[in-house]
Amino acid sequence: MIPYRLLSRNYLRFYTLLLLAYFVLVLVTFDGHRLGRAAVRARGGCGLNVPRAPAATILHLAVDYDGCSSERKAAAMVDAATIEKLEAGFSKLQASDSKSLLKKYLTREVFDALKNKKTSFGSTLLDCIQSGIENLDSGVGIYAPDAESYTVFADLFDPIIEDYHNGFKKTDKHPPKNWGDVETLGNLDPAGEFIVSTRVRCGRSMEGYPFNPCLTEAQYKEMEDKVSSTLSGLEGELKGTFYPLTGMSKETQQQLIDDHFLFKEGDRFLQAANACRFWPTGRGIYHNENKTFLVWCNEEDHLRIISMQMGGDLKQVYKRLVTAVNDIEKRIPFSHNDRLGFLTFCPTNLGTTVRASVHIKLPKLAADKAKLEEVASKYHLQVRGTRGEHTEAEGGVYDISNKRRMGLTEYDAVKEMYDGIAELIKIEKSL
């Protein structure tokens, strides 16, 4: 028979070892959870793009009254300095005569609901709205610093998206990609009386990377290498050369800008959104020999894929773009969301991301700018200056494009521009 004291001692040792094993398991699981989160961030994860490690089910040793651990709550908190900047920015915006969609939908109620929120990448409401606060003449005034922002700050993004994209509600779902039958499009101005040039472009974000404000210098370089090597494999009409901005002379850079091939440095809207960090690292331009096909690397979006040429032959321009995007997509995976379509830095470019435009002279219609805007709006067209957004018309030449990019297919977006421009030319001829 086992003595009682020996039995008690053995039970004590057993339960002590069991308790120690339990605490070791808790600590290992907790560290694994933290390392999983760190790994996602190191890969540039942004919620909608990169799957996260599943949260471990553990017993937190320090638990607040609401059930959140002290450590997790501290990590999720927005610091006092950011809150102070947010409050000052909100007051500045509300006191201004800004016509931006940001001011229209950032009510006090929405502001209070979002000001303490963060994405898993650390982006706050301030990161989203700082450009619109600094540039009160913005039309929209908001950017998504990472893909998850569209979910975390949905109370602000959703109404802005609905307004800009003509009624694309938070319950709506963007249709699957469909380039349609390119042969059904034609030349909008065979005689060359009105259209100077035609361009169709789309934006793409590379899967696994955040947007510009969250990119590290190393990620910029890594992305540039991937883009350069991928584009070097294009053949036929698309074959060309990649030119990194790093090391490019100011003269060459300005010439490419003047030729409408290269993006401008120092855009104040992007700078205020913190999207120009480490410039010019990771930025570059690719174009074919005829300069009818271009790719911008890390301007506003990771990629801007562009097809353009003189005259009004939309069919040829569109066909070239479709061929290029389908080829590049085989080599580089793009960020896509089932509800929002292709994900981009600016919410105006979500969905198809397609912008089909012409540089066009409409002297009679343009004599009454309000009339031109009215007719363009009727056909969901957007009128800009010769050099695009925030510029004036030079020599009576306007940049007119489709405005809608969500809730319709790629083909439908281009067809809207085609039908609208055809109608504008018809009206110009009748005046």
Side-chain angles (χ1 to χ4, degrees):
M1 189 169 179
I2 302 172
Y4 177 79
R5 280 186 301 175
L6 183 60
L7 184 65
S8 299
R9 194 178 302 137
N10 286 339
Y11 270 115
L12 184 61
R13 285 174 182 171
F14 173 77
Y15 281 113
T16 300
L17 288 171
L18 186 63
L19 187 61
L20 284 172
Y22 171 76
F23 279 111
V24 168
L25 177 63
V26 167
L27 289 172
V28 168
T29 307
F30 181 67
D31 275 346
H33 175 59
R34 293 177 65 190
L35 287 171
R37 286 168 59 88
V40 170
R41 292 190 179 190
R43 291 196 302 270
C46 283
L48 294 177
N49 294 340
V50 182
R52 287 196 197 83
T57 304
I58 58 175
L59 174 65
H60 290 286
L61 301 183
V63 180
D64 295 317
Y65 69 91
D66 61 355
C68 295
S69 73
S70 299
E71 182 174 342
R72 294 175 92 185
K73 176 174 276 190
M77 288 175 66
V78 176
D79 62 85
T82 299
I83 294 292
E84 187 177 346
K85 289 178 182 177
L86 273 168
E87 290 287 356
F90 179 76
S91 298
K92 175 184 175 183
L93 183 68
Q94 295 305 312
S96 74
D97 60 354
S98 173
K99 303 295 189 298
S100 70
L101 294 181
L102 173 63
K103 182 182 178 183
K104 183 177 179 180
Y105 292 106
L106 187 62
T107 63
R108 185 78 227 187
E109 182 182 6
V110 170
F111 178 80
D112 286 340
L114 300 180
K115 67 182 181 182
N116 287 299
K117 291 190 175 184
K118 270 187 182 181
T119 69
S120 64
F121 208 78
S123 299
T124 68
L125 179 63
L126 182 62
D127 295 309
C128 299
I129 69 174
Q130 58 192 352
S131 183
I133 290 172
E134 186 170 326
N135 300 287
L136 296 173
D137 58 337
S138 296
V140 178
I142 187 170
Y143 291 98
D146 57 58
E148 192 182 342
S149 296
Y150 286 115
T151 301
V152 174
F153 305 107
D155 287 349
L156 179 57
F157 275 105
D158 284 347
I160 288 176
I161 288 170
E162 182 175 345
D163 191 313
Y164 186 88
H165 293 280
N166 296 89
F168 186 87
K169 299 177 177 61
K170 62 182 180 181
T171 54
D172 290 341
K173 186 176 179 180
H174 185 75
K177 182 182 67 176
N178 183 0
W179 296 109
D181 185 358
V182 298
E183 300 298 329
T184 59
L185 302 173
N187 193 325
L188 280 162
D189 184 24
E193 298 177 60
F194 306 100
I195 296 178
V196 178
S197 62
T198 302
R199 186 178 88 151
V200 184
R201 63 88 165 149
C202 66
R204 288 291 187 270
S205 299
M206 296 169 65
E207 194 173 71
Y209 293 91
F211 300 153
N212 274 344
C214 297
L215 284 170
T216 65
E217 188 170 15
Q219 285 175 320
Y220 269 116
K221 291 177 180 177
E222 182 181 300
M223 292 169 74
E224 182 184 8
D225 288 342
K226 283 184 179 181
V227 171
S228 177
S229 61
T230 295
L231 297 178
S232 67
L234 297 179
E235 298 292 340
E237 183 188 15
L238 303 177
K239 186 177 177 63
T241 306
F242 183 85
Y243 301 90
L245 253 63
T246 303
M248 183 185 290
S249 70
K250 287 291 182 183
E251 292 74 22
T252 301
Q253 193 171 335
Q254 189 57 51
Q255 185 59 55
L256 287 169
I257 291 172
D258 291 342
D259 291 339
H260 305 288
F261 296 142
L262 183 61
F263 45 88
K264 295 181 293 183
E265 180 181 355
D267 180 281
R268 62 186 170 96
F269 299 91
L270 294 180
Q271 283 187 327
N274 207 24
C276 300
R277 299 164 69 233
F278 310 114
W279 193 281
T281 299
R283 279 81 174 186
I285 177 176
Y286 173 95
H287 64 74
N288 63 354
E289 292 180 9
N290 296 328
K291 292 184 178 178
T292 55
F293 171 67
L294 303 90
V295 179
W296 292 352
C297 179
N298 281 324
E299 181 239 7
E300 179 176 318
D301 290 310
H302 296 164
L303 295 177
R304 282 285 176 88
I305 304 168
I306 306 164
S307 176
M308 60 189 288
Q309 68 186 48
M310 303 304 289
D313 194 343
L314 180 59
K315 172 184 170 181
Q316 193 171 4
V317 173
Y318 183 56
K319 188 173 185 177
R320 185 186 302 118
L321 180 83
V322 174
T323 301
V325 174
N326 286 338
D327 198 340
I328 295 171
E329 198 169 31
K330 294 173 185 175
R331 308 157 192 255
I332 298 179
F334 295 139
S335 297
H336 186 274
N337 177 259
D338 285 344
R339 188 178 86 80
L340 298 175
F342 288 100
L343 300 173
T344 54
F345 181 44
C346 183
T348 65
N349 290 320
L350 289 168
T352 64
T353 79
V354 167
R355 183 173 184 269
S357 65
V358 293
H359 273 178
I360 188 170
K361 289 184 177 181
L362 300 166
K364 295 176 183 176
L365 258 178
D368 184 351
K369 184 71 182 302
K371 177 67 174 176
L372 175 61
E373 294 276 6
E374 179 188 336
V375 176
S377 178
K378 181 180 177 182
Y379 291 94
H380 305 299
L381 300 180
Q382 185 173 35
V383 181
R384 295 177 172 180
T386 309
R387 295 177 183 268
E389 194 172 16
H390 311 301
T391 67
E392 298 296 324
E394 299 172 7
V397 176
Y398 287 91
D399 179 314
I400 303 181
S401 64
N402 62 294
K403 184 179 180 183
R404 297 202 303 161
R405 303 191 228 296
M406 294 190 78
L408 72 175
T409 67
E410 286 76 4
Y411 175 80
D412 289 336
V414 175
K415 188 66 163 58
E416 279 197 342
M417 189 279 275
Y418 181 86
D419 293 340
I421 294 297
E423 188 62 27
L424 285 174
I425 291 175
K426 181 180 175 182
I427 294 172
E428 178 72 14
K429 287 180 176 180
S430 69
L431 293 175

